[in-house]
Amino acid sequence: PKIANTVDNSRSSLMSSSRILVSIAMESEAQPLITALALTPLSDLFHSALPFQAYENEAVVVVTSGKHPTHGVDNVGTFPAALATSHALSHPIHKFHLLVNAGTCGGFKAKGCEIGTVCVPESGGFHDRRIVIPNTPFEAYGLGLTPTTSTSATLARSALSAVGGHCTTSDSLDHNSTDDDLMAKAGSVVKDMEFAAICGTAGFYGVDVVGVKVVTDIVDGDRPSAEEFMENLSTAANKLQETVPKVLEALKKA
């Protein structure tokens, strides 16, 4: 009984303390970090009907979007990212004071990016939510510009000597000429499929977001994005294993 009580008390203390939530869409992106931090499965963060996965230690909880039950692929994109973020941040017991969204991205050669460049964005927004209705704020709503200029983001950018700038988000890996125009107009440095959705969702809960994005493909290059992405995914995942712990250490000063 004494041992059981000790475990229960320890578990209760862990759940009631505020930790950092790290959101990573793909399991292959997250696995090297989970291993490096010796995280253990956390089973009660999400409803059992949801595919999301969670892993924890005393300071951090890493969540992934899991696999789609029909297609068997990672649940990438804005919908699962927003849903997982909302469920985690609204949990009645597990509490989080900061969210780190780590993952891969496309980078713009015109902005100085190359394969392996690390970006800690200063803002996020969408380039595929085009709601142009004259004399209304719907267009601005669709673009969803969200500054990410907290002290935590500044500390993370400095710790990694990372680039800043704008991260633009859509649910498509490819892009068309209209996307290109909007991405250029926003001054986009990197492009991903989750960041703006996570920023917008976390904003409802008053939680700051720090992005840590590693470039796997060049958006304005001459190779297909899918080809470059798959070629560099494992390298980027290993780089996340190196960079995210540095960010977590830097954030202790926030």
Side-chain angles (χ1 to χ4, degrees):
K2 288 185 177 180
I3 294 176
N5 287 339
T6 300
V7 172
D8 289 344
N9 290 339
S10 174
R11 181 65 178 154
S12 176
S13 175
L14 182 63
M15 290 192 298
S16 63
S17 62
S18 180
R19 294 183 279 181
I20 294 176
L21 180 67
V22 179
S23 171
I24 305 177
M26 299 179 70
E27 293 181 6
S28 56
E29 294 173 326
Q31 192 55 56
L33 178 65
I34 292 168
T35 301
L37 296 180
L39 303 183
T40 57
L42 171 61
S43 61
D44 63 347
L45 184 62
F46 297 116
H47 190 283
S48 60
L50 297 172
F52 312 135
Q53 303 296 313
Y55 308 86
E56 68 173 342
N57 65 18
E58 68 281 356
V60 63
V61 172
V62 171
V63 299
T64 72
S65 294
K67 300 288 188 182
H68 191 276
T70 300
H71 302 291
V73 297
D74 292 281
N75 285 305
V76 299
T78 59
F79 161 55
L83 185 61
T85 298
S86 185
H87 273 262
L89 294 183
S90 62
H91 197 278
I93 299 174
H94 298 286
K95 300 299 179 184
F96 305 99
H97 62 274
L98 184 68
L99 193 157
V100 174
N101 173 222
T104 57
C105 66
F108 289 83
K109 181 173 58 177
K111 294 293 186 178
C113 288
E114 56 188 32
I115 303 300
T117 293
V118 179
C119 177
V120 176
E122 295 166 281
S123 60
F126 300 93
H127 62 266
D128 66 342
R129 296 203 318 183
R130 296 181 285 275
I131 315 174
V132 182
I133 303 176
N135 304 315
T136 76
F138 275 107
E139 184 173 10
Y141 161 76
L143 294 173
L145 180 63
T146 305
T148 52
T149 53
S150 66
T151 300
S152 297
T154 301
L155 285 171
R157 194 175 303 111
S158 176
L160 300 177
S161 298
V163 302
H166 184 69
C167 176
T168 187
T169 296
S170 84
D171 276 305
S172 297
L173 183 61
D174 65 3
H175 48 100
N176 58 35
S177 59
T178 304
D179 294 330
D180 292 338
D181 290 342
L182 288 172
M183 290 190 289
K185 185 176 180 180
S188 305
V189 175
V190 295
K191 167 186 175 289
D192 86 333
M193 298 178 69
E194 290 89 20
F195 185 66
I198 288 172
C199 289
T201 305
F204 291 134
Y205 296 95
V207 175
D208 287 333
V209 177
V210 176
V212 181
K213 300 292 178 176
V214 178
V215 172
T216 54
D217 54 280
I218 302 302
V219 181
D220 51 350
D222 54 7
R223 294 186 61 190
S225 293
E227 181 181 293
E228 268 193 311
F229 170 74
M230 294 305 298
E231 183 179 299
N232 296 302
L233 177 58
S234 62
T235 300
N238 288 329
K239 192 151 192 176
L240 288 173
Q241 173 196 328
E242 299 172 8
T243 56
V244 174
K246 292 179 182 177
V247 170
L248 298 176
E249 185 63 29
L251 292 177
K252 291 178 180 178
K253 304 173 185 177

